[in-house]
PDB file of all heavy atoms in Angstrom:
ATOM      1  N   TYR C 260      85.491 156.883 157.470  1.00 98.00           N
ATOM      2  CA  TYR C 260      84.575 157.916 157.784  1.00 98.00           C
ATOM      3  C   TYR C 260      85.048 158.687 159.068  1.00 98.00           C
ATOM      4  O   TYR C 260      85.693 158.086 159.907  1.00 98.00           O
ATOM      5  CB  TYR C 260      83.173 157.363 158.106  1.00 98.00           C
ATOM      6  CG  TYR C 260      82.551 156.559 156.954  1.00 98.00           C
ATOM      7  CD1 TYR C 260      82.888 155.230 156.771  1.00 98.00           C
ATOM      8  CD2 TYR C 260      81.690 157.161 156.106  1.00 98.00           C
ATOM      9  CE1 TYR C 260      82.299 154.521 155.700  1.00 98.00           C
ATOM     10  CE2 TYR C 260      81.095 156.470 155.021  1.00 98.00           C
ATOM     11  CZ  TYR C 260      81.452 155.148 154.862  1.00 98.00           C
ATOM     12  OH  TYR C 260      80.880 154.465 153.837  1.00 98.00           O
ATOM     13  N   GLN C 262      83.468 160.919 162.264  1.00 98.00           N
ATOM     14  CA  GLN C 262      82.218 161.289 162.973  1.00 98.00           C
ATOM     15  C   GLN C 262      82.536 162.148 164.168  1.00 98.00           C
ATOM     16  O   GLN C 262      83.339 161.835 165.017  1.00 98.00           O
ATOM     17  CB  GLN C 262      81.457 160.076 163.448  1.00 98.00           C
ATOM     18  CG  GLN C 262      80.082 160.415 163.974  1.00 98.00           C
ATOM     19  CD  GLN C 262      79.247 159.180 164.360  1.00 98.00           C
ATOM     20  OE1 GLN C 262      79.769 158.138 164.775  1.00 98.00           O
ATOM     21  NE2 GLN C 262      77.958 159.297 164.171  1.00 98.00           N
ATOM     22  N   ALA C 267      76.306 163.028 161.949  1.00 97.00           N
ATOM     23  CA  ALA C 267      76.394 161.809 161.166  1.00 97.00           C
ATOM     24  C   ALA C 267      77.838 161.611 160.665  1.00 97.00           C
ATOM     25  O   ALA C 267      78.639 162.533 160.594  1.00 97.00           O
ATOM     26  CB  ALA C 267      75.459 161.904 159.962  1.00 97.00           C
ATOM     27  N   PRO C 268      78.153 160.380 160.295  1.00 97.00           N
ATOM     28  CA  PRO C 268      79.480 160.141 159.729  1.00 97.00           C
ATOM     29  C   PRO C 268      79.645 160.888 158.416  1.00 97.00           C
ATOM     30  O   PRO C 268      78.642 161.234 157.716  1.00 97.00           O
ATOM     31  CB  PRO C 268      79.486 158.596 159.505  1.00 97.00           C
ATOM     32  CG  PRO C 268      78.495 158.070 160.521  1.00 97.00           C
ATOM     33  CD  PRO C 268      77.432 159.146 160.534  1.00 97.00           C
ATOM     34  N   GLN C 313      85.380 150.890 157.055  1.00 98.00           N
ATOM     35  CA  GLN C 313      84.256 150.047 156.603  1.00 98.00           C
ATOM     36  C   GLN C 313      84.715 149.278 155.392  1.00 98.00           C
ATOM     37  O   GLN C 313      85.307 149.836 154.484  1.00 98.00           O
ATOM     38  CB  GLN C 313      83.064 150.896 156.279  1.00 98.00           C
ATOM     39  CG  GLN C 313      81.829 150.075 155.774  1.00 98.00           C
ATOM     40  CD  GLN C 313      81.193 150.679 154.550  1.00 98.00           C
ATOM     41  OE1 GLN C 313      81.469 151.793 154.099  1.00 98.00           O
ATOM     42  NE2 GLN C 313      80.222 149.920 153.979  1.00 98.00           N
ATOM     43  N   TYR C 315      83.421 147.102 152.095  1.00 95.00           N
ATOM     44  CA  TYR C 315      82.215 146.946 151.259  1.00 95.00           C
ATOM     45  C   TYR C 315      82.479 145.965 150.126  1.00 95.00           C
ATOM     46  O   TYR C 315      81.859 146.022 149.092  1.00 95.00           O
ATOM     47  CB  TYR C 315      81.648 148.262 150.754  1.00 95.00           C
ATOM     48  CG  TYR C 315      82.656 149.185 150.039  1.00 95.00           C
ATOM     49  CD1 TYR C 315      82.696 149.219 148.653  1.00 95.00           C
ATOM     50  CD2 TYR C 315      83.461 150.002 150.792  1.00 95.00           C
ATOM     51  CE1 TYR C 315      83.561 150.062 148.029  1.00 95.00           C
ATOM     52  CE2 TYR C 315      84.374 150.878 150.126  1.00 95.00           C
ATOM     53  CZ  TYR C 315      84.399 150.889 148.726  1.00 95.00           C
ATOM     54  OH  TYR C 315      85.279 151.750 148.093  1.00 95.00           O
ATOM     55  N   TYR C 320      78.350 144.286 155.255  1.00 95.00           N
ATOM     56  CA  TYR C 320      79.252 145.437 155.033  1.00 95.00           C
ATOM     57  C   TYR C 320      79.627 146.009 156.373  1.00 95.00           C
ATOM     58  O   TYR C 320      78.898 146.850 156.887  1.00 95.00           O
ATOM     59  CB  TYR C 320      78.650 146.403 154.056  1.00 95.00           C
ATOM     60  CG  TYR C 320      78.142 145.721 152.804  1.00 95.00           C
ATOM     61  CD1 TYR C 320      76.806 145.365 152.637  1.00 95.00           C
ATOM     62  CD2 TYR C 320      79.074 145.230 151.857  1.00 95.00           C
ATOM     63  CE1 TYR C 320      76.397 144.679 151.524  1.00 95.00           C
ATOM     64  CE2 TYR C 320      78.684 144.552 150.757  1.00 95.00           C
ATOM     65  CZ  TYR C 320      77.332 144.242 150.630  1.00 95.00           C
ATOM     66  OH  TYR C 320      76.925 143.510 149.488  1.00 95.00           O
TER      67      TYR C 320
ATOM     68  N   GLN K 323      73.134 152.988 164.539  1.00 98.00           N
ATOM     69  CA  GLN K 323      74.183 153.205 165.522  1.00 98.00           C
ATOM     70  C   GLN K 323      73.546 153.296 166.897  1.00 98.00           C
ATOM     71  O   GLN K 323      72.749 154.188 167.144  1.00 98.00           O
ATOM     72  CB  GLN K 323      74.936 154.489 165.209  1.00 98.00           C
ATOM     73  CG  GLN K 323      76.152 154.745 166.148  1.00 98.00           C
ATOM     74  CD  GLN K 323      76.963 155.943 165.694  1.00 98.00           C
ATOM     75  OE1 GLN K 323      76.412 156.909 165.185  1.00 98.00           O
ATOM     76  NE2 GLN K 323      78.272 155.844 165.855  1.00 98.00           N
ATOM     77  N   GLY K 390      77.099 150.345 145.561  1.00 88.00           N
ATOM     78  CA  GLY K 390      78.509 150.449 145.967  1.00 88.00           C
ATOM     79  C   GLY K 390      78.713 150.197 147.473  1.00 88.00           C
ATOM     80  O   GLY K 390      79.841 149.839 147.874  1.00 88.00           O
ATOM     81  N   TYR K 391      77.650 150.246 148.244  1.00 92.00           N
ATOM     82  CA  TYR K 391      77.727 149.924 149.666  1.00 92.00           C
ATOM     83  C   TYR K 391      78.655 150.757 150.456  1.00 92.00           C
ATOM     84  O   TYR K 391      79.192 150.293 151.492  1.00 92.00           O
ATOM     85  CB  TYR K 391      77.986 148.420 149.850  1.00 92.00           C
ATOM     86  CG  TYR K 391      76.924 147.525 149.321  1.00 92.00           C
ATOM     87  CD1 TYR K 391      77.158 146.858 148.119  1.00 92.00           C
ATOM     88  CD2 TYR K 391      75.709 147.410 149.936  1.00 92.00           C
ATOM     89  CE1 TYR K 391      76.160 146.035 147.581  1.00 92.00           C
ATOM     90  CE2 TYR K 391      74.719 146.583 149.413  1.00 92.00           C
ATOM     91  CZ  TYR K 391      74.965 145.901 148.269  1.00 92.00           C
ATOM     92  OH  TYR K 391      73.976 145.099 147.680  1.00 92.00           O
ATOM     93  N   HIS K 392      78.980 151.963 149.980  1.00 93.00           N
ATOM     94  CA  HIS K 392      79.674 152.942 150.807  1.00 93.00           C
ATOM     95  C   HIS K 392      78.972 154.280 150.585  1.00 93.00           C
ATOM     96  O   HIS K 392      78.363 154.505 149.554  1.00 93.00           O
ATOM     97  CB  HIS K 392      81.187 153.015 150.520  1.00 93.00           C
ATOM     98  CG  HIS K 392      81.536 153.299 149.088  1.00 93.00           C
ATOM     99  ND1 HIS K 392      81.216 152.440 148.092  1.00 93.00           N
ATOM    100  CD2 HIS K 392      82.172 154.342 148.553  1.00 93.00           C
ATOM    101  CE1 HIS K 392      81.672 152.950 146.924  1.00 93.00           C
ATOM    102  NE2 HIS K 392      82.245 154.088 147.175  1.00 93.00           N
ATOM    103  N   PHE K 393      78.986 155.136 151.603  1.00 96.00           N
ATOM    104  CA  PHE K 393      77.963 156.117 151.811  1.00 96.00           C
ATOM    105  C   PHE K 393      78.502 157.559 151.819  1.00 96.00           C
ATOM    106  O   PHE K 393      79.252 157.886 152.756  1.00 96.00           O
ATOM    107  CB  PHE K 393      77.190 155.811 153.047  1.00 96.00           C
ATOM    108  CG  PHE K 393      77.047 154.302 153.281  1.00 96.00           C
ATOM    109  CD1 PHE K 393      77.627 153.704 154.364  1.00 96.00           C
ATOM    110  CD2 PHE K 393      76.289 153.563 152.406  1.00 96.00           C
ATOM    111  CE1 PHE K 393      77.500 152.329 154.576  1.00 96.00           C
ATOM    112  CE2 PHE K 393      76.126 152.163 152.576  1.00 96.00           C
ATOM    113  CZ  PHE K 393      76.742 151.552 153.660  1.00 96.00           C
ATOM    114  N   TRP K 396      74.681 161.390 154.449  1.00 97.00           N
ATOM    115  CA  TRP K 396      73.920 160.809 155.511  1.00 97.00           C
ATOM    116  C   TRP K 396      72.902 161.819 156.038  1.00 97.00           C
ATOM    117  O   TRP K 396      73.163 163.032 156.084  1.00 97.00           O
ATOM    118  CB  TRP K 396      74.844 160.443 156.676  1.00 97.00           C
ATOM    119  CG  TRP K 396      75.951 159.461 156.377  1.00 97.00           C
ATOM    120  CD1 TRP K 396      76.966 159.639 155.460  1.00 97.00           C
ATOM    121  CD2 TRP K 396      76.148 158.213 157.015  1.00 97.00           C
ATOM    122  NE1 TRP K 396      77.786 158.521 155.492  1.00 97.00           N
ATOM    123  CE2 TRP K 396      77.307 157.627 156.453  1.00 97.00           C
ATOM    124  CE3 TRP K 396      75.518 157.488 158.000  1.00 97.00           C
ATOM    125  CZ2 TRP K 396      77.820 156.397 156.843  1.00 97.00           C
ATOM    126  CZ3 TRP K 396      76.002 156.282 158.425  1.00 97.00           C
ATOM    127  CH2 TRP K 396      77.134 155.721 157.855  1.00 97.00           C
ATOM    128  N   GLY K 397      71.780 161.325 156.544  1.00 97.00           N
ATOM    129  CA  GLY K 397      70.861 162.177 157.264  1.00 97.00           C
ATOM    130  C   GLY K 397      71.365 162.383 158.687  1.00 97.00           C
ATOM    131  O   GLY K 397      72.412 161.900 159.053  1.00 97.00           O
TER     132      GLY K 397
END
Side-chain angles (χ1 to χ4, degrees):
Chain C
Y260 300 85
Q262 187 176 33
Q313 180 225 351
Y315 53 98
Y320 308 101
Chain K
Q323 183 173 36
Y391 298 104
H392 56 296
F393 323 115
W396 300 60

